[in-house]
Structure formats: structure tokens, C-alpha cells
Amino acid sequence: MIVRSFRDIEGTDRHVKAASGTWESKRIILAKERVGFSLHETTLYAGTETSMWYANHVEAVVCIEGEAELTDDETGETHLITPGTMYLLDGHERHTMRIKSDFRCLCVFNPPVTGREDHDENGVYPLLTEPDDA
């Protein structure tokens, strides 16, 4: 059994800040826990725009605070995301988040991230893995 709080991981290597300066993520469950997913609390900052494409992952996001406009970059369709709203990137959609007010969300990734990922020039997280214990 694992018990930890987001407060416990502030300032550790699980507290990742994007090189772009547009978001930070507290990664409370990572690939090294070997449970098949990772869980993060991510904050995207008001007034920022981030384009992403999870070519290697499926991501589910639940907004718990703030407001953002989510655009499907492939179709141009937009959605207002507010507290209690979930979106699922089950088709590896290229998407852009325009943050209206500090946007805090819970994110689940499959396959799990290692904690070392940041978006590359295409908005993609590389597919990193943990070494086998055996």
C-alpha cells in the first residue's frame, strides 16, 4: 500500500515544472510504482497557451479548479473546461489549451510516465520506461 500527499512531493523530483513555464505537475503515481498508470495534479497558468499531442499516451483529465478552452487541433472543435468537466484524449488528438484562469486538474496517463517527461517541439511526451527490476 502506498500513501502520500501532493504536499509530500512538493519540491521533489516528482514536482515537475515545464521548460516552457506554462505549467507544473505533481506526479504522485509514476511508472516506477508499476500499477499501469500514472496520476498527476497539474496546474496550467492563466493567460498561457499550450499545444500538446500525446502520440504515445492516452490521457484522462478532470478539471478541479479554473477555466480553460480546449481545442481539438485536428477538427477545430472547442470546449469550455470548468470544474467537474472531464476530457479523454483516447485518439491521441493534437490539442491546445488556452488558460483563462489558473487551471488545476487531475490527470491519468496510460502508459504511465516516469516523471522525467516534458513536451518536445511537437507537444509530445517521449515514451520513457523504467528499467526492469529483475
Side-chain angles (χ1 to χ4, degrees):
M1 178 185 300
I2 298 169
V3 178
R4 67 175 60 105
S5 73
F6 288 113
R7 186 173 299 135
D8 292 340
I9 62 175
E10 287 180 9
T12 72
D13 62 348
R14 289 176 178 261
H15 189 178
V16 177
K17 297 184 181 185
S20 67
T22 62
W23 59 265
E24 66 180 84
S25 184
K26 297 173 188 169
R27 297 169 175 184
I28 200 161
I29 300 173
L30 291 170
K32 64 183 162 187
E33 273 80 49
R34 302 201 182 279
V35 295
F37 64 92
S38 57
L39 175 65
H40 320 166
E41 176 191 73
T42 299
T43 301
L44 293 97
Y45 304 119
T48 65
E49 181 175 308
T50 304
S51 293
M52 297 168 269
W53 175 34
Y54 295 119
N56 301 308
H57 300 85
V58 171
E59 181 191 29
V61 178
V62 177
C63 174
I64 55 178
E65 184 180 309
E67 187 174 293
E69 179 185 85
L70 167 66
T71 300
D72 181 328
D73 293 340
E74 297 166 18
T75 67
E77 187 175 6
T78 63
H79 305 273
L80 182 64
I81 309 297
T82 58
T85 304
M86 182 279 309
Y87 64 91
L88 175 65
L89 301 165
D90 59 340
H92 305 285
E93 295 86 356
R94 293 175 189 260
H95 61 289
T96 299
M97 294 292 290
R98 290 174 187 84
I99 310 305
K100 298 177 179 294
S101 60
D102 281 356
F103 184 85
R104 194 164 54 100
C105 55
L106 296 177
C107 311
V108 176
F109 279 85
N110 184 6
V113 303
T114 65
R116 301 182 307 272
E117 294 81 359
D118 197 349
H119 299 108
D120 69 12
E121 66 279 357
N122 296 309
V124 176
Y125 274 174
L127 185 57
L128 302 178
T129 58
E130 291 292 334
D132 289 333
D133 290 334

